[in-house]
Amino acid sequence: MAEATGTNQTKSMDEIMALCKRRGFVFQASEIYGGINGFWDYGPLGAQLKKNLREAWWQDMIMLPCWGKKGPGGERVRCVPVETTIIQNPKVWEASGHVGGFNDPMVDDKETKQRFRADQLFGMFVALHPGTHADEKAQVVRRILQDIEDGLLPVRTFVASGDADVADAVENGKKLLKPYRVSDLAQWPLDAATVLVANGLDDSKNGEHLLCVFRPVPPAMLSDRSPAVPSPFSGKSGSLMPPRQFNLMFKTYIGATATEDDIAYLRPETAQGIFVQFKNVVDTTRVKVPFGVGNTGKSFRNEVTPRNFTYRSREFEQMELEFFCHPDESADWYRFWRDFRMEWWQSIGLAGDNLQLREHAKDELSHYSTGTSDVEYRFPFTAPGFGELEGIAHRGDYDLRQHQEHSGVKLEYFDTDRGELLPNGSKRGERYLPHCIEPAAGLDRGVLAILCESYTKDPSRPSPEIMRFHPRLAPIKAAVFPLVNKDGMPEVAEKLHTELQGKFGRAGFIETDAKQSIGKRYARMDEGGCPFCFTIDGDTLKDQTVTVRDRDTGAQERIGIGSVSKYLEERLGI
Ligand code: ATP
């Protein structure tokens, strides 16, 4: 039986990565030189898969936004594209706050030469406390948290970027506490972080309570006493340096002199290019608020710990929309886009339990945002937790206001459809800075989620590994096979192949192959995720029919050779 697609907990990232390499989806960048950390290349199938995902976004967000659905006020959703440069005037990044604030404090371990984000260091803190009654638990836990505030050092540390890492550490911690009969595991909220508590009773020690708390190492402890904190890599103390600010933007120099005055940055997001062209778009097109501007392309972040395959890379692609609307309507548009973005990811194959929409709690929001939600996917490496695929943020007028202040150029919009009615029948108009809703998606993370979701194992089939891509995204759209390489079959196959390539070739590969047994050829297509195989056999020559084989079920049916194009057109969704 095929693996349940509802969960990713049983899928192996190693197997998925091995298939990605074997079938040419993803390669390590500069592999023959030993690779380069945080950079990935796409092979032939991966490049086409990524293009199909980018085009699905472009089509459904810009050319026919939201599949023609009406906005919250019953209006048509209007969007236009821009394509802005990777290198902008450095003042853009000062205005956006990236030069000053796009920092992750990080810690170097001078012994192991490893580096990690300070906010990802968790500690296992252990202390003995008097008190035996269950009712006192909250009070006892508060006491150990106070101990930590007062400087209690962790006995172990570990780097954790998600719930799954913390859960692993708790499991390991339990083994260390075995002699103390670990009896309870509770969750304790502290500064929006998750704190896991295991408490146990050591019978031999006059009923004292042994408490073990897993929580982030407090920033003050790392700053003031970093050499005393044990290293997450060696377990020994003495090697951790105090955290340092580290700007995630890649620096470069413009021109040949390479002085401080020539510094520029590779963009860390595509969104700012939209804000700085807002006025030009309004002045040169007929768009009226509300409207959206989309931008896709490469972004660069000098991530401290690139990992989990392409999930956290240093060079990646984003697909961002800034939707500008009147402040009074912005809360409705925020909900509209949040819900549509969830629906969109579902429509291209991420249906089921592995996808969730998570509304940020108030204390997680940026100071300018009144609402942010993440579309999250349960990747095999985050399971049972989730990782961000896209963020949908209500950004208020923060960005336009910042750029207006820093550039000195008025970015207000004059809305001729608002204001009181004048005697001549027209409206007085209203001048305002539009509010902005930002659905910001990662294309590479999207591809990774699609790869993980599509990967299916079914040992009962000749092709035990199947990539169940949605036909719209599949990099190979169809294959045409002559059953045997003789008796006039190759010629018929060649003709059909040419016809399909002409019609569908812009959306993906149309394969043909006459070698090996038909079973092996099907298996190869299953691994590449080709949804439909058409086989020309002896009957084709007599009655002009071909076999269609469905990738997901393996079921076969016969259809007329003349209706193959229509059959594909109906199913590919392009
Ligand atoms: P994270 O918290 O994972 O670092 P973020 O909240 O900083 O992500 P945004 O600035 O909101 O991310 O960027 C929008 C999208 O860009 C993210 O949802 C993600 O899909 C993608 N993205 C961000 N950083 C990376 C990266 N280093 N590698 C790949 N994709 C990324």
Side-chain angles (χ1 to χ4, degrees):
M1 274 301 291
E3 216 168 47
T5 49
T7 174
N8 265 352
Q9 301 196 38
T10 50
K11 290 188 187 175
S12 146
M13 213 47 223
D14 287 345
E15 286 177 356
I16 294 173
M17 286 167 74
L19 183 135
C20 282
K21 164 104 200 263
R22 192 171 73 246
R23 291 311 313 270
F25 284 101
V26 182
F27 303 133
Q28 210 184 356
S30 322
E31 190 184 298
I32 59 170
Y33 290 102
I36 169 164
N37 197 10
F39 297 87
W40 298 91
D41 288 341
Y42 290 84
L45 290 188
Q48 185 62 40
L49 174 65
K50 188 170 169 181
K51 179 167 186 283
N52 289 349
L53 184 58
R54 188 192 300 111
E55 285 190 358
W57 185 92
W58 190 271
Q59 177 67 20
D60 298 346
M61 294 293 280
I62 296 174
M63 303 323 279
L64 181 59
C66 313
W67 312 313
K69 262 177 197 263
K70 297 278 190 285
E75 64 279 67
R76 199 160 57 85
V77 183
R78 287 164 300 191
C79 295
V80 291
V82 290
E83 187 187 307
T84 63
T85 54
I86 285 170
I87 295 180
Q88 302 268 337
N89 186 318
K91 288 186 183 140
V92 169
W93 308 113
E94 281 163 29
S96 67
H98 286 90
V99 170
F102 200 49
N103 287 316
D104 275 337
M106 53 170 205
V107 177
D108 282 315
D109 181 340
K110 60 179 187 235
E111 208 170 281
T112 64
K113 306 278 178 249
Q114 304 217 56
R115 176 178 284 173
F116 56 90
R117 264 166 60 173
D119 65 346
Q120 293 184 345
L121 189 72
F122 273 64
M124 175 179 167
F125 299 85
V126 180
L128 276 168
H129 274 291
T132 51
H133 200 270
D135 293 348
E136 291 177 35
K137 200 165 71 189
Q139 204 189 335
V140 180
V141 171
R142 227 171 259 134
R143 240 181 269 157
I144 189 171
L145 294 179
Q146 186 59 50
D147 287 350
I148 296 169
E149 286 293 293
D150 295 343
L152 175 71
L153 288 165
V155 291
R156 292 280 157 99
T157 58
F158 50 98
V159 180
S161 60
D163 295 350
D165 291 344
V166 179
D168 280 353
V170 171
E171 274 314 303
N172 290 334
K174 268 196 209 162
K175 283 181 213 141
L176 289 172
L177 296 175
K178 228 173 183 171
Y180 297 98
R181 197 158 56 84
V182 174
S183 63
D184 197 7
L185 195 67
Q187 287 215 338
W188 191 261
L190 181 90
D191 299 333
T194 306
V195 178
L196 296 157
V197 180
N199 76 37
L201 192 67
D202 175 6
D203 294 329
S204 64
K205 290 223 169 61
N206 328 321
E208 278 185 311
H209 237 89
L210 182 98
L211 286 158
C212 175
V213 177
F214 292 85
R215 55 148 298 174
V217 174
M221 182 181 287
L222 264 181
S223 305
D224 303 342
R225 304 183 60 203
S226 52
V229 177
S231 156
F233 311 109
S234 67
K236 289 184 282 179
S237 47
S239 62
L240 295 189
M241 307 286 286
R244 285 183 305 159
Q245 289 301 106
F246 182 81
N247 196 296
L248 290 186
M249 280 200 296
F250 278 92
K251 263 188 199 163
T252 186
Y253 296 93
I254 295 177
T257 48
T259 69
E260 281 294 298
D261 294 340
D262 306 317
I263 287 179
Y265 302 96
L266 305 190
R267 70 177 169 202
E269 59 173 44
T270 52
Q272 295 304 322
I274 300 176
F275 294 118
V276 297
Q277 291 298 355
F278 171 76
K279 187 169 159 30
N280 272 337
V281 172
V282 170
D283 290 348
T284 57
T285 59
R286 295 174 66 91
V287 287
K288 288 175 134 199
V289 168
F291 71 93
V293 183
N295 198 13
T296 69
K298 289 278 178 133
S299 291
F300 302 81
R301 294 185 191 175
N302 207 350
E303 295 281 1
V304 178
T305 43
R307 62 192 189 135
N308 290 331
F309 205 18
T310 59
Y311 180 83
R312 189 170 298 288
S313 309
R314 290 182 163 139
E315 173 176 341
F316 56 98
E317 200 166 332
Q318 291 184 306
M319 310 181 290
E320 300 196 280
L321 185 85
E322 300 301 334
F323 194 82
F324 300 98
C325 55
H326 189 273
D328 293 351
E329 293 172 356
S330 59
D332 288 342
W333 279 110
Y334 165 66
R335 282 188 290 273
F336 173 84
W337 280 109
R338 181 195 64 186
D339 297 345
F340 175 69
R341 293 308 299 153
M342 179 71 180
E343 221 184 310
W344 186 78
W345 286 108
Q346 286 168 331
S347 80
I348 51 168
L350 299 186
D353 292 351
N354 290 330
L355 196 72
Q356 72 172 18
L357 186 67
R358 187 178 68 82
E359 186 91 40
H360 286 206
K362 283 262 170 308
D363 55 8
E364 261 184 286
L365 296 176
S366 324
H367 62 95
Y368 48 75
S369 179
T370 51
T372 299
S373 301
D374 288 344
V375 177
E376 297 183 328
Y377 182 72
R378 186 193 280 129
F379 293 92
F381 49 80
T382 58
F386 289 77
E388 177 183 331
L389 199 54
E390 168 163 356
I392 301 104
H394 185 313
R395 297 181 65 90
D397 63 10
Y398 176 76
D399 305 272
L400 287 181
R401 191 171 290 285
Q402 286 292 106
H403 287 300
Q404 179 167 273
E405 275 168 22
H406 280 74
S407 67
V409 175
K410 278 248 166 293
L411 297 177
E412 283 173 334
Y413 175 79
F414 186 65
D415 195 333
T416 51
D417 292 337
R418 289 179 181 267
E420 76 209 53
L421 197 59
L422 298 174
N424 67 6
S426 63
K427 295 265 180 77
R428 181 177 293 282
E430 182 185 334
R431 199 172 290 284
Y432 58 89
L433 268 184
H435 275 198
C436 194
I437 313 301
E438 176 189 86
L443 177 54
D444 302 82
R445 277 200 197 164
V447 169
L448 184 59
I450 299 285
L451 285 166
C452 294
E453 184 75 10
S454 305
Y455 181 83
T456 312
K457 269 179 98 169
D458 186 350
S460 70
R461 284 177 45 163
S463 54
E465 289 176 302
I466 305 156
M467 293 305 273
R468 290 187 156 160
F469 297 124
H470 188 289
R472 188 177 181 198
L473 299 184
I476 309 174
K477 296 296 182 208
V480 182
F481 296 141
L483 183 62
V484 289
N485 201 11
K486 55 183 183 185
D487 301 336
M489 293 178 211
E491 290 76 13
V492 180
E494 181 51 34
K495 195 163 165 251
L496 180 61
H497 176 249
T498 307
E499 178 194 332
L500 298 184
Q501 225 177 9
K503 288 194 172 136
F504 304 103
R506 76 195 143 77
F509 297 100
I510 308 294
E511 296 273 302
T512 184
D513 185 2
K515 300 209 183 74
Q516 294 190 311
S517 72
I518 191 73
K520 284 211 174 112
R521 283 180 273 165
Y522 285 154
R524 203 174 149 69
M525 286 302 110
D526 287 347
E527 273 192 346
C530 168
F532 307 106
C533 295
F534 300 95
T535 304
I536 315 298
D537 55 19
D539 287 346
T540 310
L541 306 174
K542 288 185 228 139
D543 63 8
Q544 302 297 301
T545 61
V546 296
T547 307
V548 194
R549 173 182 174 276
D550 180 277
R551 172 197 64 203
D552 296 343
T553 60
Q556 304 196 3
E557 58 172 315
R558 289 198 82 83
I559 61 169
I561 196 165
S563 48
V564 169
S565 278
K566 190 157 182 299
Y567 180 96
L568 267 185
E569 206 173 288
E570 284 166 7
R571 286 162 181 78
L572 291 182
I574 48 175

